[in-house]
Amino acid sequence: KAGVTQTPRYLIKTRGQQVTLSCSPISGHRSVSWYQQTPGQGLQFLFEYFSETQRNKGNFPGRFSGRQFSNSRSEMNVSTLELGDSALYLCASSTLHRGRRTEAFFGQGTRLTVV
Amino acid sequence: KNEVEQSPQNLTAQEGEFITINCSYSVGISALHWLQQHPGGGIVSLFMLSSGKKKHGRLIATINIQEKHSSLHITASHPRDSAVYICATRTGNQFYFGTGTSLTVIP
């Protein structure tokens, strides 16, 4: 089956703009989680969606938001971009099987550069 | 918050060597993941562990819940194993990540 698909792969935006990133999970997976990776901070958890509901949120400002659609595809939005938002944004999909979370599969990421 | 520490940060090995990467964490977890990241960014989940030991090909992952410690072993290392290996813990719905171990295997 197809893996986790993130679009676009690369993006350049200017400060103050907003950006929307997309993540299509593996078919049948209902959980999508988002992560930010920067050289200075490493990987950090942004938020997780399950069945269209945000289940948990990391320690990021309100400029970072997301949503999940009924087909489990998820979007992440960053408003009023700052230079420090330049990072690799990764999403991962998983699901629950008999009440236990399955292994997470990661996408290739979207590399966002803010200039 | 779960403090996740990995060691070593950088590792250079000769092809064929046995490699061990360690991960320690500070609070109880529901699962621990070992991830592999190649240049270019894509991450592959190697293992998800909640207890004991798992093996996949030349890779072995172990976890000791009481000691809050996990190890990733690579037997007969190969240059294609060169990557960053990241330990990630899951506590409830939160993920915490180690800073990664950059492995270079020299032919």
Side-chain angles (χ1 to χ4, degrees):
Chain A
K1 51 178 136 178
V4 179
T5 304
Q6 288 188 247
T7 56
R9 289 291 310 278
Y10 302 92
L11 203 49
I12 299 175
K13 290 283 189 178
T14 55
R15 275 184 301 174
Q17 284 187 312
Q18 67 93 27
V19 67
T20 300
L21 312 181
S22 178
C23 174
S24 294
I26 288 173
S27 177
H29 283 193
R30 293 161 63 190
S31 172
V32 174
S33 49
W34 288 90
Y35 307 87
Q36 181 197 62
Q37 187 178 39
T38 59
Q41 297 292 324
L43 267 166
Q44 295 184 89
F45 171 72
L46 279 157
F47 30 64
E48 178 182 24
Y49 286 86
F50 186 89
S51 294
E52 303 178 63
T53 302
Q54 187 179 87
R55 291 302 178 97
N56 210 357
K57 193 175 191 302
N59 189 25
F60 279 81
R63 300 184 297 108
F64 291 80
S65 63
R67 58 179 175 167
Q68 187 178 34
F69 301 96
S70 58
N71 62 357
S72 294
R73 187 178 71 87
S74 177
E75 286 182 348
M76 191 193 94
N77 185 276
V78 188
S79 62
T80 319
L81 283 166
E82 301 176 0
L83 295 178
D85 297 332
S86 296
L88 179 68
Y89 290 88
L90 291 150
C91 79
S93 80
S94 63
T95 195
L96 292 176
H97 178 66
R98 295 181 181 174
R100 302 191 72 173
R101 188 169 298 279
T102 63
E103 193 159 349
F105 293 85
F106 284 79
Q108 290 291 308
T110 294
R111 187 164 296 280
L112 171 66
T113 302
V114 182
V115 297
Chain B
K1 182 182 174 179
N2 199 359
E3 301 291 340
V4 181
E5 294 187 1
Q6 280 185 243
S7 62
Q9 281 193 323
N10 296 285
L11 185 54
T12 300
Q14 293 288 332
E15 184 173 357
E17 283 187 8
F18 180 84
I19 289 162
T20 296
I21 300 170
N22 295 299
C23 174
S24 297
Y25 53 93
S26 58
V27 302
I29 61 172
S30 53
L32 182 142
H33 299 252
W34 281 102
L35 311 173
Q36 181 193 55
Q37 186 172 32
H38 283 281
I43 287 182
V44 173
S45 176
L46 298 173
F47 295 102
M48 182 177 75
L49 294 162
S50 53
S51 65
K53 175 181 176 178
K54 285 190 176 180
K55 184 176 189 293
H56 182 70
R58 296 180 294 105
L59 302 177
I60 303 166
T62 63
I63 188 168
N64 184 317
I65 298 295
Q66 287 72 32
E67 295 186 3
K68 297 186 174 61
H69 181 269
S70 176
S71 293
L72 175 68
H73 305 285
I74 305 176
T75 61
S77 59
H78 190 277
R80 65 174 173 265
D81 297 326
S82 297
V84 175
Y85 293 83
I86 301 168
C87 167
T89 64
R90 187 180 186 98
T91 301
N93 284 325
Q94 284 277 6
F95 273 101
Y96 298 96
F97 297 88
T99 53
T101 295
S102 179
L103 171 65
T104 302
V105 181
I106 300 170

